[in-house]
Structures are given as C-alpha cells and as structure tokens.
Amino acid sequence: MLLELSLLFAALLATVSATSYTEAYRPQYHFTPAKNWMNDPNGLIYHKGKYHMYFQYNPTGDIWGNISWGHAVSDDLMRWKELPVALNAFNSPAGSLNELYYSGSAVSDDALTSGLGNGKRSPLVAVFTSHYTSDITLPRNKSVRAGQESQSIAFSTDNGLTWTEYPDNPVILEPPSQYADQYLNFRDPFVFWYGPGRHWAMVVSLPNLHKLLIYTSKNLRDWKHVSEFGPVNAVGGQWECPSLFPLPIDGNKSRTKWVMVIGLNPGGPAHAGGSGTQYVVGNFDGTTFTADADNVYDAAAPKDTVLFEDWSEGSFAESSWKPTDDFVGQQPSNGQVLTLWQKGDQTVGSLISKNFTVSKKYIAFKIGCCNNPYNPATYGTIKDQQTAINLIMDGHVVRSTSGVNGGDMIWASWNVASLVGKTAHIELVDRATGGWGHLDVGEIVFTDKSLSPQANWVDYGPDYYAAATYNGLSNYERVAVAWMNDWAYAVDIPTSPWRSAMTIPRILTLENVDGRARLIQKPHRNLQALESKSMLYKNHWHLLSTRNLTLPVSGKALDITLAFSPGAESKILGLNVRTDGKTQGTIIGYDVSTNQMFVNREASGDSSFSTSFSGIYYAPLPVRNGKVELRILLDWSSVEVFGGRGEEAITAQIFPSEPSTGVSLFSVGIVKDVNIEVRSVSSSWGHRISN
C-alpha cells in the first residue's frame, strides 16, 4: 500500500511540476487541475486546518468521462495543492469503469456513529452517487441495472488522503417505490449533521421531476426517506446538486433561516439553454424543509404591457405573420406556436412579424422547447438548425433566445432600452430536424418593467453551476465554491491541457434586503493575501459626462471596485476590461434606465467554439442610498461581478487575446461621484505574473 501511494504521489508531482500554470487562459487565482477534465466541486470539508476540495474528474482526458473524484487541499482556499485521485473509477470494487463516482458531499463522523474505520479515530465519510454503467451484481449480491444511480459511502482514516468504499454499497439502492421509474436519475446527495435531532440528514435530487428527497440516518449507513421538496420556482431542465444549510439573518442567531440551493441544467437565468443555480429561504425542522411564502414565485406575466401577439387569430396568415415552409396554411394551437407534428421534429419553417418601432424597454415572451440556439455562422443556410425567437434590425439578428429541452413554458425577455425608437421585426425559426427539434412560443408583449422574479438566482451569469458549501466550519459559517463553466459549451472551451475552473470561494450570509432575507455573497477575505498592498490605480470624478476614457492601468488579473451616484441625466456607466482599445473587450456596467448591472462578452475574444457563448447578461440591482457599487474580479479567462452588498452576482468566462490587457471607463449621460480603485492580484501558483 505504501509503495502504491508513493508511486501515485510521484506520478502526480511529475505532472504538476511539468505544468507551468502560465498557459493561455490559465486562471491565476482560481483553482484548476494541472490537466484533464473537471466539473462539479464535491465533498467540500474543512478538517484539521485544511480545506479539502474533491471534484468531478476524468483521470485520462480533457473531456467528460471516466468520472472519478479528484482532490486538492489548501490552507487558505487560495493556494491549492493537487493530490492523487481520491475515488478512481478505474479501481472501483464494482469493476473498472462499472461504477462512476458522481457528485456528493463529505462529513467528519466526530461522534463515531457510523462504525466505520477502527472505531477510535473519527473517520471522514464521503456520500456520493454511484452511476453504474452496466447490469451487474455487486460483491454483496445487490443487483443494479445499466445507467442506475444509487447513493453510496466511502470512509477515510488518514484525513481524506485515501478512501475505502463501504462493502455493502449502495446504502440507498434506488428511489422510494412511488418514484421507482426514476432510478436512472437519482443523484447528488448533500449530507450534514442535524444537532437538535442528533441525526444525519441528506438532500438528494430527482432531477427530471424537479424534486428533492430528504432522508435521515443515525449512522450514515441506514437511511429513511422522510419528506420531499419541489417543484417550485425555476423548473427548466433538471434539478441537480442541492445543498441545505442554516444562516442567521443579519448575524442574529435567534433569527436563523435555512437556505436550499438547487442547480438547474439547462434553464439558468441567462436563458440561453445553459446552467444556473437558484436558492430558496425557509425553515427546516430536521425532516421537512418549508419555503417562506415570499420565496415562492408564481411566474406571473409581466405588468403594464402592450400586447404584440397572443395567437388568438384563426391562422398565421390572419395574424399578420408571414409563414414559410411547413407553417404555410397552418394555425396556432392552444394559444401557442407549436411545431406542426405531421412531420414530427422534422417539421421546419418560420414566422416573420410585421415591422414595428421599439417603444418600450423590454420585449417579453413565453417560451418552452427546445434548445437549439441561433448560430450566426449557419443562419439562413441549409445547415441552420436553430429553434429560436429572434429580433431582427437592419437585416441582422440583434437579440435571440432559444428554449430549454422540457415541456414548461416560462417567461423570458430582452432588454431593448438601447434600441428604443428603431424599427425591427420578430421572427420565429424552427430549422432543427433532430430530437428536441421544435419551438413553443406563447404571447409576446412590450413593457417598460422587467419581469417579476421567477427564482432567487445565486448568480445571473452563464458560468456558475453545481455550487457546493463547506462542511466542518464553525457554526453558521458558509463558504461556497461553484463550477465556473456551462454545460452548453463546457467540453469545447479553448483551454489545454486542463478544462474548467472553479469560482472564487464566496462567503455566504443572509441579510434583510428590501424587507426579506436575501443571500449575500462576497469573495473570501483570504483573497487579500494575493492582492497588491498598494493601489495599482485610484481616481475620483465629481462629474462625468458622456465619454470614453482610456485608464492608465492594465492587467489580466485585477480586483476593481467601481462606485457612482446616478442622477436624472444618467444612463450607463461601465468599464471595458481586457480590451485592445479597438474591437475586443468585455464590457461591465450599470444601466440606470433599467436598474440592472450587466456583463457583455459579445466581443470578449474567442467565441468560435460555441454559438451559445456570446451574450449579454443582466442582474437586477436597485440604486441604494443614492449609490451603485460594483466589485469586479478579473482573471485570465473570467470575470466575476458582485453588485451592491453582494446581493447579486454575474460570473462569465472570457477568452481574450494575449495583448488585450487595457481598461477603459465609459459613461453615457451625466453621472456624479465616480470612484474607481484597482488592485493587482498575484498568482496562487507560486510564480510571478506580469499584469
């Protein structure tokens, strides 16, 4: 055993030492593995002075597959040491690659409830989903089917370095009998100790039903199903990677609430078919989670609208839309535009609206299936496979939304405040001919009001998913880490020899904002250890009119704070980072007319790898006490933007060219009391970097 461990460490050290960590797009203060594929953070636990981060990992390649648990440790959450693979699918007791190690969590069994290990030293226990790849009989004669997902455990008596699978795995073979048909989609257990009841609790997902099952156990080996939660709020795609934890409101422990965090894929807030993460605040009594009434939304239609189309006419021709191909001579169904099923998903066609003048700040619409985004490279050609609603102006697609691969109709909208007064038309396009190859669109309206909340989004960007929080910290302290990628293009991002990064660790708190408990996120305080002690750049403008200023600062790894006071003549204020001063740059700013912060990565660099990558992402952020404040973390291939006190966030990857390191400030209209502070961030990999 010692020889095997020595060989493992030697091989890993050879890989790490051969990695420069200065490759193009390599994050400098966000965790990445030395090489190969990584996705969800797993088993986050603080144990004996070390932060452990396990993660979904492919030991043999840079695309998803052979899923195992990678492992890294840190003293401060910033500087990481990668260790040998913790749970290796090639070495599973079920047989090599017969069992894949999907997402899960880890706890320290301080009360020795499990009986695992030697009975004297508290073991670490990992709880994870076993995904079985074939019909097999396991060593203890339990039978599983190909594709089945079950919950299993493993234990460690050497502080998380090596793991032994429990011989009678899985500990939860299949879902409860009423959900027996969901055995292929039953995953991602999050486990924690519930002190008042002196028992363990587990939250695990039935992804396709948008349900979370809650189990309890006295020993981590025998589990009882006690309740369930959902569906509620955002239900696009699948529910995955749940977690549940307590936080006091405004630090008052007598006003403690519980927070349920849920991943969605697809169906995130960007509504580009990608991933997202929502949260729900409520109460937990040890067996049942109940959402607060003000955290449950009814997905109501937008208010104060001007109707553009509700499909009440008898045919498309009567409704003044121009139909093409299979839509000619047909009519709407049940108040929606539905694919004509005489050809199934092979049906193709488009509907083109009459011209109109954009008169409101938003165009809102109901949209359902399916996710086949607009692709500018194939648009209008025989290779076009989109199912999308597009806004056309001067012959160009200026806004586009595709659906999600599911049956639910949800409200979505475009921010068109900058287009008011211009002529446009809408087209509905169904060119997809494969599975999930149709388009559902309901009523279309114009409005000056943003959509009512449909969920509490943890992050409004496209690249924040599978968020997990650390067990083992002091009471009520929560630190979250998420996968900084999106399943819409995750396997295609242009990085090598690794693929995917984690977000900056974020401290989570609950604060009373606008009369209700809101999740607040702030970059972990330990980031300061990597930042320059002296300010790289600082400035103040008492009054700033419409202009674009090239700032005397540049860099690829920066921490920027931008604050200002909007007034009656203010429109937009923002920064252009990683800019070449010409056509390339990532625009981060605040739109006063809509009270939204935004990230625009349409010209951020390489986006050729995916039609889903380019986009603009908005988050609601009211002006508070007459001020707006943004904190921007810029790394070599990402931006994370925190608004206000941290009540809103936008995370997005970017892939700019090497020379694009400039920073410029721009304003539209007149803004007051503009303050900017910029600090450089050094590499967490132990080498000097040039900003």
Side-chain angles (χ1 to χ4, degrees):
M1 181 65 177
L2 289 176
L3 177 60
E4 291 177 357
L5 283 175
S6 298
L7 292 174
L8 279 171
F9 272 111
L12 181 68
L13 288 172
T15 296
V16 172
S17 62
T19 301
S20 69
Y21 292 96
T22 58
E23 305 94 337
Y25 309 135
R26 172 75 79 169
Q28 293 302 295
Y29 59 95
H30 292 78
F31 175 76
T32 55
K35 66 176 185 177
N36 296 339
W37 168 270
M38 174 183 73
N39 55 288
D40 309 356
N42 296 153
L44 302 186
I45 188 167
Y46 181 69
H47 182 68
K48 294 189 175 180
K50 299 286 186 183
Y51 294 93
H52 292 260
M53 179 164 60
Y54 302 90
F55 47 89
Q56 297 283 274
Y57 185 65
N58 181 353
T60 62
D62 64 357
I63 61 173
W64 187 93
N66 309 320
I67 291 301
S68 306
W69 274 29
H71 186 197
V73 295
S74 174
D75 294 326
D76 60 3
L77 287 167
M78 298 295 145
R79 303 172 180 90
W80 293 93
K81 178 181 180 181
E82 194 172 349
L83 297 177
V85 175
L87 296 170
N88 195 323
F90 289 95
N91 299 328
S92 165
S96 180
L97 298 183
N98 282 336
E99 176 189 22
L100 303 181
Y101 297 97
Y102 279 13
S103 289
S105 51
V107 295
S108 178
D109 183 16
D110 296 332
L112 301 176
T113 65
S114 65
L116 300 174
N118 57 20
K120 298 179 181 179
R121 187 176 183 180
S122 300
L124 293 182
V125 179
V127 188
F128 55 90
T129 295
S130 293
H131 178 95
Y132 298 102
T133 59
S134 58
D135 295 344
I136 55 173
T137 299
L138 299 174
R140 293 289 180 91
N141 293 319
K142 292 181 179 179
S143 296
V144 293
R145 292 164 282 183
Q148 180 169 334
E149 294 181 346
S150 305
Q151 315 318 314
S152 298
I153 62 176
F155 63 94
S156 172
T157 56
D158 58 4
N159 300 317
L161 181 61
T162 61
W163 294 83
T164 301
E165 280 203 57
Y166 179 54
D168 201 23
N169 273 340
V171 293
I172 304 178
L173 181 64
E174 53 195 8
S177 58
Q178 64 268 39
Y179 303 121
D181 61 342
Q182 298 298 307
Y183 72 95
L184 297 175
N185 289 279
F186 174 46
R187 58 180 174 268
D188 306 338
F190 179 78
V191 171
F192 58 95
W193 177 253
Y194 183 72
R198 296 197 58 77
H199 64 251
W200 298 99
M202 174 195 293
V203 184
V204 62
S205 181
L206 293 176
N208 290 339
L209 300 184
H210 308 119
K211 283 184 179 291
L212 304 178
L213 304 184
I214 296 177
Y215 288 77
T216 60
S217 173
K218 291 292 186 181
N219 58 18
L220 290 167
R221 294 178 285 109
D222 303 299
W223 292 90
K224 179 182 179 182
H225 173 226
V226 293
S227 69
E228 60 188 51
F229 175 74
V232 68
N233 298 345
V235 291
Q238 295 184 318
W239 276 15
E240 296 182 312
C241 302
S243 59
L244 178 62
F245 49 86
L247 286 174
I249 300 176
D250 297 327
N252 185 346
K253 295 179 181 178
S254 67
R255 299 180 62 219
T256 294
K257 288 287 186 178
W258 286 75
V259 182
M260 184 78 82
V261 176
I262 308 163
L264 296 92
N265 179 56
H271 204 81
S275 312
T277 303
Q278 66 175 324
Y279 71 93
V280 182
V281 178
N283 296 296
F284 181 64
D285 62 5
T287 60
T288 303
F289 176 78
T290 305
D292 285 351
D294 62 4
N295 270 249
V296 177
Y297 305 115
D298 60 6
K303 299 177 181 179
D304 300 329
T305 62
V306 175
L307 179 66
F308 182 72
E309 182 59 77
D310 64 0
W311 311 109
S312 59
E313 292 87 352
S315 70
F316 294 133
E318 293 176 10
S319 65
S320 74
W321 290 74
K322 178 184 177 182
T324 69
D325 302 315
D326 295 328
F327 286 105
V328 174
Q330 303 300 319
Q331 63 184 29
S333 173
N334 299 323
Q336 298 174 358
V337 177
L338 299 177
T339 297
L340 310 176
W341 282 97
Q342 73 270 27
K343 295 182 181 178
D345 275 330
Q346 295 294 313
T347 306
V348 296
S350 64
L351 293 172
I352 302 171
S353 80
K354 59 187 177 184
N355 285 336
F356 60 89
T357 300
V358 178
S359 59
K360 301 288 184 179
K361 296 176 183 177
Y362 298 94
I363 297 175
F365 44 86
K366 292 194 78 172
I367 189 167
C369 208
C370 292
N371 180 227
N372 301 284
Y374 155 75
N375 181 348
T378 60
Y379 179 71
T381 73
I382 60 173
K383 295 182 179 180
D384 193 355
Q385 286 287 301
Q386 67 175 307
T387 52
I389 174 172
N390 300 326
L391 182 66
I392 310 296
M393 191 170 290
D394 296 328
H396 300 286
V397 177
V398 295
R399 300 286 189 274
S400 180
T401 296
S402 188
V404 296
N405 291 341
D408 297 303
M409 297 287 290
I410 63 175
W411 279 100
S413 68
W414 297 318
N415 181 328
V416 292
S418 62
L419 305 178
V420 169
K422 297 183 179 181
T423 300
H425 69 266
I426 292 172
E427 68 171 5
L428 312 179
V429 186
D430 177 1
R431 292 292 171 189
T433 55
W436 300 103
H438 59 278
L439 177 68
D440 301 343
V441 175
E443 62 184 291
I444 303 171
V445 298
F446 303 155
T447 179
D448 278 327
K449 295 186 177 180
S450 60
L451 289 176
S452 299
Q454 296 180 318
N456 297 321
W457 295 109
V458 178
D459 193 294
Y460 279 81
D463 294 309
Y464 186 94
Y465 190 60
T469 62
Y470 270 88
N471 283 326
L473 298 173
S474 59
N475 288 340
Y476 304 114
E477 184 178 1
R478 279 289 149 181
V479 174
V481 176
W483 181 46
M484 194 160 57
N485 212 336
D486 190 315
W487 282 114
Y489 44 72
V491 299
D492 299 314
I493 60 172
T495 61
S496 180
W498 82 101
R499 189 168 273 124
S500 292
M502 297 300 184
T503 63
I504 200 73
R506 303 178 183 183
I507 296 174
L508 305 183
T509 57
L510 274 183
E511 294 185 14
N512 191 320
V513 179
D514 298 331
R516 65 189 188 95
R518 295 287 306 278
L519 191 66
I520 304 298
Q521 306 173 80
K522 294 182 179 179
H524 198 279
R525 54 188 170 271
N526 289 351
L527 177 61
Q528 296 175 4
L530 296 178
E531 295 187 340
S532 56
K533 293 182 179 180
S534 59
M535 201 75 65
L536 191 63
Y537 176 73
K538 182 178 181 178
N539 210 338
H540 168 79
W541 294 267
H542 176 65
L543 201 67
L544 198 63
S545 58
T546 299
R547 68 181 67 183
N548 186 60
L549 298 173
T550 299
L551 302 181
V553 63
S554 62
K556 298 187 292 182
L558 302 172
D559 185 348
I560 305 172
T561 298
L562 178 67
F564 72 100
S565 298
E569 298 179 81
S570 303
K571 294 184 178 180
I572 298 175
L573 181 77
L575 293 171
N576 195 356
V577 300
R578 294 302 305 270
T579 178
D580 61 2
K582 299 175 183 177
T583 59
Q584 189 174 110
T586 298
I587 300 172
I588 301 162
Y590 186 82
D591 187 333
V592 178
S593 69
T594 60
N595 288 335
Q596 291 178 311
M597 66 180 194
F598 63 88
V599 172
N600 181 340
R601 66 176 183 188
E602 291 182 320
S604 62
D606 186 6
S607 62
S608 62
F609 53 89
S610 172
T611 60
S612 300
F613 188 78
S614 178
I616 309 174
Y617 309 98
Y618 298 90
L621 184 67
V623 177
R624 301 193 189 282
N625 300 317
K627 287 189 174 293
V628 172
E629 183 170 332
L630 305 178
R631 184 177 179 186
I632 302 160
L633 299 185
L634 171 67
D635 205 343
W636 283 16
S637 56
S638 66
V639 291
E640 291 175 271
V641 184
F642 300 87
R645 287 184 277 176
E647 64 264 36
E648 309 296 357
I650 300 176
T651 299
Q653 295 181 93
I654 55 174
F655 299 102
S657 59
E658 187 70 20
S660 298
T661 60
V663 179
S664 61
L665 175 74
F666 68 93
S667 62
V668 180
I670 299 174
V671 292
K672 300 177 181 179
D673 295 324
V674 179
N675 287 282
I676 185 170
E677 295 182 353
V678 183
R679 293 183 183 274
S680 62
V681 184
S682 62
S683 174
S684 62
W685 302 116
H687 59 77
R688 295 181 62 85
I689 62 173
S690 173
N691 266 307

Coordinates of all heavy atoms in Angstrom, one line a residue, residues 616-645:
I616 N -25.0 38.8 -23.6 CA -25.1 39.9 -22.6 C -25.9 39.4 -21.4 O -27.0 38.8 -21.6 CB -25.7 41.2 -23.2 CG1 -25.1 41.6 -24.5 CG2 -25.6 42.3 -22.1 CD1 -25.8 42.8 -25.1
Y617 N -25.5 39.6 -20.2 CA -26.1 39.0 -19.0 C -26.4 40.1 -18.1 O -25.6 41.0 -17.7 CB -25.2 37.9 -18.4 CG -24.8 36.9 -19.4 CD1 -23.5 37.0 -20.1 CD2 -25.6 35.9 -19.9 CE1 -23.2 36.2 -21.1 CE2 -25.3 35.1 -20.9 CZ -24.0 35.2 -21.5 OH -23.7 34.3 -22.5
Y618 N -27.7 40.1 -17.6 CA -28.2 41.2 -16.7 C -28.6 40.7 -15.4 O -29.0 39.6 -15.2 CB -29.4 41.9 -17.4 CG -29.2 42.5 -18.7 CD1 -29.3 41.8 -19.9 CD2 -28.8 43.9 -18.8 CE1 -29.1 42.4 -21.1 CE2 -28.6 44.5 -20.0 CZ -28.7 43.7 -21.2 OH -28.5 44.3 -22.4
A619 N -28.4 41.5 -14.3 CA -28.9 41.2 -13.0 C -29.5 42.5 -12.4 O -29.0 43.6 -12.5 CB -27.7 40.8 -12.1
P620 N -30.7 42.3 -11.8 CA -31.4 43.5 -11.2 C -30.6 44.0 -10.0 O -30.1 43.3 -9.2 CB -32.7 42.9 -10.8 CG -32.5 41.5 -10.5 CD -31.4 41.1 -11.5
L621 N -30.4 45.3 -10.0 CA -29.6 45.9 -8.9 C -30.2 47.3 -8.6 O -29.7 48.3 -9.3 CB -28.1 46.0 -9.2 CG -27.2 46.5 -8.1 CD1 -27.2 45.5 -6.9 CD2 -25.8 46.7 -8.6
P622 N -31.1 47.5 -7.7 CA -31.6 48.8 -7.4 C -30.5 49.8 -6.9 O -29.5 49.4 -6.3 CB -32.7 48.6 -6.3 CG -33.0 47.1 -6.4 CD -31.7 46.5 -6.9
V623 N -30.7 51.1 -7.1 CA -29.9 52.1 -6.5 C -30.2 52.2 -5.0 O -31.4 52.3 -4.6 CB -30.1 53.5 -7.2 CG1 -29.3 54.5 -6.5 CG2 -29.8 53.4 -8.7
R624 N -29.2 52.1 -4.2 CA -29.4 52.1 -2.7 C -28.7 53.3 -2.1 O -27.5 53.4 -2.3 CB -29.0 50.8 -2.1 CG -29.7 49.6 -2.7 CD -29.5 48.3 -1.8 NE -30.0 47.1 -2.5 CZ -31.3 46.8 -2.6 NH1 -32.2 47.6 -2.0 NH2 -31.7 45.7 -3.2
N625 N -29.4 54.0 -1.3 CA -28.8 55.2 -0.7 C -28.1 56.1 -1.7 O -27.1 56.7 -1.4 CB -27.8 54.8 0.4 CG -28.5 54.0 1.5 OD1 -29.6 54.3 2.0 ND2 -27.8 52.9 1.9
G626 N -28.7 56.2 -2.9 CA -28.2 57.1 -3.9 C -26.9 56.6 -4.6 O -26.3 57.4 -5.4
K627 N -26.5 55.4 -4.4 CA -25.3 54.9 -4.9 C -25.4 53.5 -5.6 O -26.3 52.7 -5.2 CB -24.2 54.8 -3.9 CG -23.6 56.1 -3.4 CD -22.4 56.0 -2.5 CE -21.8 57.3 -2.2 NZ -21.2 57.9 -3.4
V628 N -24.5 53.2 -6.5 CA -24.4 51.9 -7.1 C -22.9 51.5 -7.0 O -22.0 52.3 -7.2 CB -24.7 51.9 -8.6 CG1 -24.3 50.6 -9.3 CG2 -26.2 52.3 -8.8
E629 N -22.7 50.3 -6.5 CA -21.3 49.8 -6.4 C -21.1 48.4 -7.0 O -22.0 47.5 -6.8 CB -20.9 49.7 -4.9 CG -19.4 49.3 -4.7 CD -19.0 49.5 -3.2 OE1 -19.5 50.4 -2.5 OE2 -18.1 48.8 -2.8
L630 N -20.1 48.3 -7.8 CA -19.7 47.0 -8.4 C -18.3 46.6 -8.0 O -17.4 47.4 -8.0 CB -19.8 47.1 -9.9 CG -21.1 47.6 -10.6 CD1 -20.9 47.7 -12.1 CD2 -22.2 46.7 -10.2
R631 N -18.1 45.3 -7.7 CA -16.8 44.8 -7.5 C -16.5 43.8 -8.5 O -17.3 42.8 -8.7 CB -16.6 44.2 -6.1 CG -15.2 43.7 -5.8 CD -15.0 43.1 -4.4 NE -13.7 42.7 -4.2 CZ -13.2 42.0 -3.1 NH1 -14.1 41.8 -2.1 NH2 -12.0 41.6 -3.0
I632 N -15.4 43.9 -9.2 CA -15.1 43.1 -10.4 C -13.8 42.3 -10.2 O -12.8 42.9 -9.9 CB -15.0 43.9 -11.7 CG1 -16.3 44.8 -11.9 CG2 -14.6 43.1 -12.9 CD1 -16.1 46.0 -12.8
L633 N -13.9 41.0 -10.2 CA -12.7 40.1 -10.1 C -12.4 39.7 -11.5 O -13.2 38.9 -12.1 CB -13.0 38.9 -9.2 CG -13.3 39.2 -7.7 CD1 -13.3 37.9 -6.9 CD2 -12.2 40.2 -7.1
L634 N -11.3 40.1 -12.0 CA -10.8 39.7 -13.4 C -9.7 38.8 -13.3 O -8.7 39.1 -12.6 CB -10.4 41.0 -14.1 CG -9.7 40.8 -15.5 CD1 -10.7 40.2 -16.5 CD2 -9.1 42.1 -16.0
D635 N -9.8 37.6 -13.9 CA -8.7 36.7 -14.0 C -8.4 36.4 -15.5 O -9.1 37.0 -16.4 CB -9.0 35.4 -13.3 CG -7.8 34.6 -12.8 OD1 -6.7 34.9 -13.3 OD2 -7.9 33.7 -12.0
W636 N -7.4 35.6 -15.8 CA -7.0 35.5 -17.2 C -8.1 35.0 -18.1 O -8.0 35.2 -19.3 CB -5.8 34.5 -17.3 CG -4.5 35.2 -16.8 CD1 -4.4 36.3 -16.1 CD2 -3.2 34.7 -17.0 NE1 -3.1 36.6 -15.9 CE2 -2.3 35.6 -16.4 CE3 -2.7 33.6 -17.7 CZ2 -0.9 35.4 -16.5 CZ3 -1.3 33.4 -17.7 CH2 -0.4 34.3 -17.1
S637 N -9.1 34.3 -17.6 CA -10.2 33.9 -18.5 C -11.6 34.0 -17.8 O -12.5 33.1 -18.1 CB -9.9 32.4 -19.0 OG -9.8 31.6 -17.9
S638 N -11.8 34.9 -17.0 CA -13.1 35.1 -16.3 C -13.3 36.4 -15.7 O -12.3 37.1 -15.4 CB -13.2 34.0 -15.2 OG -12.3 34.2 -14.1
V639 N -14.6 36.8 -15.5 CA -14.9 37.9 -14.7 C -16.0 37.5 -13.7 O -16.9 36.7 -14.1 CB -15.4 39.1 -15.5 CG1 -14.3 39.7 -16.3 CG2 -16.6 38.7 -16.5
E640 N -15.9 37.9 -12.5 CA -17.0 37.7 -11.5 C -17.3 39.1 -11.0 O -16.5 39.8 -10.5 CB -16.5 36.8 -10.4 CG -16.3 35.4 -10.8 CD -15.7 34.6 -9.6 OE1 -14.4 34.5 -9.5 OE2 -16.5 34.0 -8.9
V641 N -18.6 39.5 -11.1 CA -19.1 40.8 -10.7 C -20.1 40.7 -9.6 O -21.0 39.9 -9.7 CB -19.7 41.5 -11.9 CG1 -20.1 42.9 -11.6 CG2 -18.8 41.5 -13.2
F642 N -19.8 41.4 -8.5 CA -20.7 41.5 -7.3 C -21.3 42.8 -7.2 O -20.6 43.9 -7.2 CB -19.9 41.1 -6.1 CG -19.2 39.8 -6.1 CD1 -18.0 39.6 -6.7 CD2 -19.9 38.6 -5.6 CE1 -17.4 38.4 -6.8 CE2 -19.3 37.4 -5.7 CZ -18.0 37.3 -6.3
G643 N -22.6 42.9 -7.1 CA -23.3 44.2 -7.1 C -23.8 44.5 -5.7 O -24.3 43.6 -5.0
G644 N -23.7 45.8 -5.4 CA -24.2 46.3 -4.1 C -23.5 45.7 -2.9 O -22.2 45.6 -2.9
R645 N -24.2 45.1 -2.0 CA -23.6 44.5 -0.8 C -23.2 43.0 -1.1 O -22.6 42.3 -0.3 CB -24.6 44.4 0.4 CG -24.9 45.7 1.0 CD -25.8 45.6 2.2 NE -27.2 45.6 1.8 CZ -28.2 45.4 2.7 NH1 -28.0 45.2 3.9 NH2 -29.4 45.5 2.3

